[in-house]
Amino acid sequence: MSLASRFDPIATQAFSPRSPVVDTDRVTFGATTGSTWRSRYSRALLISDLGVLLVALGLAQIANFGAGSDKQVSGLDVHYQALGMLLAAVWWVSLQLHQTRSDAILGHGPEEYQRVVVATFRLFATLALLSVAFKVDASRGYLATAFPLGLLGLLLARKFWRGRLHRERIRGGAMANVLVIGGERSAAQLAQWFTKNPAAGYRVTGEWAPQASGHDLDAALHSSKASTVVVTDTEQHGDEILRELIWQLDGTGIDLVVSPNVLDVASSRLRLHDVSGMPMLHVSEPQYAGAARWGKIVFDRVGAALIVLALAPVLIISYLVVRLTSPGPAFYRQERVGRDGTPFSMIKFRSMRVGADAEFAKMLADQGKSLAQLPKLKVDPRVTPIGGFIRRFSIDELPQLFNVLNGDMSLVGPRPQRDFEVEQYDHIATRRLRVRPGMTGLWQVSGRSDLSYEEAIRLDVHYVENWSITGDMMILWRTLRAVLASDGAY
């Protein structure tokens, strides 16, 4: 029995297809006929995780005891080869128990990585307690090697598979066709969002909204080839719509999702509570307060110090090259606006000839323009030959590490802007000033100079309101990749 025949208030629904309608849920990703990309992807992770763990534990044994060693664990009649296989199996099960391969988190967001980290730390904490309780004295060097190797290997493997999945989705494969139940405006917004973010893995292939015809849900699902149903406006259909949909979709393998229409809010800020039998979605306060606390400060200062030490040769060579290849100082200072609107002096390696600012100001004055009216130039004649090179690979930004050590900036955050830019901020853009500006941020790893102003502001505000240390680490990793590819840098 169809939903329309059992639930009279929505018996006059109409279906609006979106073209093209493709059964992309069953395309490629090493496809075998009849299996979905989800099951294949999950199976790939199962095999990959186990392989990574076996290799990591094997390398830990070789590093500590040498190849072919038959050393036994103190307190146990077990060789380290057997212990390694046992640890790999338990670690692998721990990842499964923590749902690190759940469909709900695969392919997007930091939660997959967070669960891998949590599963690993909890496992080794448990093993430490058990070793004390049963007086098992496993080699500390072995565990100290196996722990970081395994965790790093797992994270890199997950990154590899996620990158492959994203490339597949950009080509149109491994997508979930979506039937939207709701108003035309809500469906259009969802379709636009998913089109801009193909890596999310959803594509709207149909809309089912109140109309004057009698097209029921069964036909809409068939026409849209939907593997996911998203409800956006329950008010149009009455309170019983979700219950009826659950009954109708029971046993079909089609996912039912309710969109709360809450954009740019990280999942870590959302909590579902049961209030007298009614589910309520609680949205936590923005996270920018956490970005001013000691955890973020320690992360920034220690991270900046380590990077300065690691890149000391690059900093010294860059200083000498800039100083010797063009007249003038090696460093360039410019006043920028920091946290809460406080100005500070930002330092960079000089990439233009001396007097470039005055030269530019005169040119604008001659044309009757201001800085606020001129976009960033892709080809700037004031840039020196060596300046073009250090800009391309963002080497000119490295002295800002000293701004981080001084407390004016963070490693990750909204980019510090000029006073004339801040003067144009609306109430949304002003939220960028709630945290210290960063050397890198979401907009740099999402297109850098190729993004529109509005999109850059949206990404920075998203960062401010959803800040986390894990998010900072992911942005730093993506920054390294963006810099090496020199995407959008000019």
Side-chain angles (χ1 to χ4, degrees):
M1 183 181 294
S2 71
L3 177 60
S5 62
R6 287 189 288 130
F7 192 54
D8 291 340
I10 58 172
T12 58
Q13 305 298 314
F15 168 70
S16 301
R18 284 182 172 266
S19 183
V21 178
V22 182
D23 190 7
T24 52
D25 189 50
R26 293 170 174 81
V27 174
T28 63
F29 209 86
T32 55
T33 304
S35 64
T36 67
W37 71 265
R38 289 183 179 88
S39 63
R40 295 190 297 276
Y41 189 76
S42 180
R43 188 162 56 247
L45 291 183
L46 283 168
I47 298 171
S48 174
D49 288 346
L50 184 58
V52 165
L53 294 176
L54 288 172
V55 170
L57 290 161
L59 290 175
Q61 179 184 337
I62 294 173
N64 286 273
F65 312 119
S69 172
D70 59 352
K71 184 176 177 61
Q72 287 189 333
V73 182
S74 179
L76 285 178
D77 188 21
V78 174
H79 293 285
Y80 273 95
Q81 293 97 323
L83 177 64
M85 289 187 285
L86 178 61
L87 283 179
V90 175
W91 200 339
W92 186 76
V93 171
S94 177
L95 294 172
Q96 187 68 18
L97 293 176
H98 283 80
Q99 297 184 319
T100 66
R101 308 176 188 105
S102 169
D103 289 346
I105 63 170
L106 294 179
H108 52 83
E111 189 170 354
E112 178 184 355
Y113 301 111
Q114 290 172 347
R115 291 189 186 185
V116 170
V117 172
V118 170
T120 300
F121 273 92
R122 285 181 176 173
L123 171 66
F124 275 81
T126 303
L127 291 176
L129 292 175
L130 290 175
S131 65
V132 172
F134 293 97
K135 299 180 179 179
V136 176
D137 188 17
S139 168
R140 291 181 177 84
Y142 172 76
L143 295 177
T145 307
F147 172 71
L149 270 181
L151 180 57
L152 179 62
L154 288 171
L155 294 176
L156 290 176
R158 294 302 181 100
K159 183 65 178 176
F160 166 80
W161 286 112
R162 180 176 291 198
R164 183 176 175 184
L165 177 61
H166 286 182
R167 290 190 294 272
E168 187 71 39
R169 285 174 169 172
I170 291 172
R171 291 195 297 265
M175 302 284 282
N177 288 334
V178 174
L179 173 66
V180 178
I181 297 180
E184 184 177 346
R185 180 181 177 184
S186 299
Q189 288 178 335
L190 266 182
Q192 183 181 24
W193 181 263
F194 291 145
T195 299
K196 289 173 61 178
N197 300 275
Y202 293 100
R203 173 161 58 199
V204 176
T205 53
E207 304 163 15
W208 198 48
Q211 301 288 345
S213 64
H215 202 115
D216 67 14
L217 178 62
D218 291 332
L221 289 171
H222 177 74
S223 299
S224 64
K225 293 184 171 63
S227 59
T228 301
V229 170
V230 177
V231 180
T232 61
D233 296 325
T234 57
E235 180 64 25
Q236 296 188 40
H237 313 297
D239 296 335
E240 298 181 7
I241 178 66
L242 289 179
R243 183 180 64 185
E244 295 289 337
L245 279 171
I246 292 171
W247 290 346
Q248 177 70 7
L249 298 176
D250 185 24
T252 65
I254 297 175
D255 295 329
L256 177 60
V257 180
V258 178
S259 172
N261 294 319
V262 180
L263 299 179
D264 287 331
V265 176
S267 59
S268 59
R269 292 175 55 199
L270 302 177
R271 294 289 184 274
L272 192 63
H273 299 284
D274 186 286
V275 181
S276 300
M278 176 180 290
M280 303 287 285
L281 189 65
H282 180 267
V283 182
S284 301
E285 292 183 352
Q287 301 299 304
Y288 51 77
R293 293 176 183 161
W294 66 268
K296 169 75 165 172
I297 293 173
V298 170
F299 177 81
D300 285 333
R301 302 286 177 86
V302 173
L306 292 175
I307 296 173
V308 167
L309 290 175
L311 298 182
V314 176
L315 288 165
I316 294 171
I317 292 172
S318 298
Y319 174 88
L320 293 174
V321 170
V322 172
R323 186 71 179 82
L324 296 173
T325 56
S326 64
F331 294 118
Y332 169 77
R333 298 177 183 273
Q334 188 178 70
E335 185 174 284
R336 296 291 179 105
V337 180
R339 183 184 173 197
D340 297 327
T342 304
F344 71 97
S345 178
M346 189 182 76
I347 184 172
K348 303 172 67 174
F349 281 126
R350 181 174 55 83
S351 59
M352 295 184 180
R353 55 179 175 254
V354 174
D357 287 344
E359 181 182 337
F360 195 47
K362 183 179 184 303
M363 182 188 73
L364 291 175
D366 292 342
Q367 298 178 8
K369 295 181 179 179
S370 67
L371 284 170
Q373 296 173 289
L374 201 68
K376 188 173 181 179
L377 301 177
K378 290 190 176 183
V379 179
D380 195 326
R382 301 171 299 159
V383 176
T384 64
I386 194 64
F389 177 82
I390 63 175
R391 278 189 167 200
R392 179 182 177 187
F393 294 99
S394 299
I395 297 173
D396 63 321
E397 310 280 357
L398 291 180
Q400 291 165 38
L401 289 165
F402 299 107
N403 285 119
V404 177
L405 292 172
N406 193 48
D408 296 323
M409 293 177 63
S410 294
L411 289 176
V412 181
R415 282 297 293 165
Q417 295 195 309
R418 305 279 297 276
D419 53 358
F420 68 86
E421 294 174 301
V422 175
E423 288 172 0
Q424 301 178 64
Y425 280 3
D426 57 15
H427 70 288
I428 297 175
T430 300
R431 300 187 75 84
R432 300 173 82 254
L433 303 178
R434 296 293 186 98
V435 301
R436 285 185 296 276
M439 291 183 63
T440 184
L442 263 184
W443 74 261
Q444 286 96 324
V445 298
S446 303
R448 304 174 82 183
S449 300
D450 297 323
L451 288 176
S452 67
Y453 172 81
E454 292 76 14
E455 186 67 10
I457 292 295
R458 187 190 70 79
L459 289 172
D460 277 344
V461 172
H462 176 87
Y463 170 83
V464 170
E465 301 205 338
N466 300 284
W467 170 84
S468 70
I469 287 289
T470 305
D472 277 5
M473 294 175 69
M474 292 182 66
I475 290 173
L476 287 172
W477 169 252
R478 292 172 62 188
T479 297
L480 178 61
R481 294 179 57 192
V483 168
L484 292 177
S486 64
D487 293 333
Y490 41 78

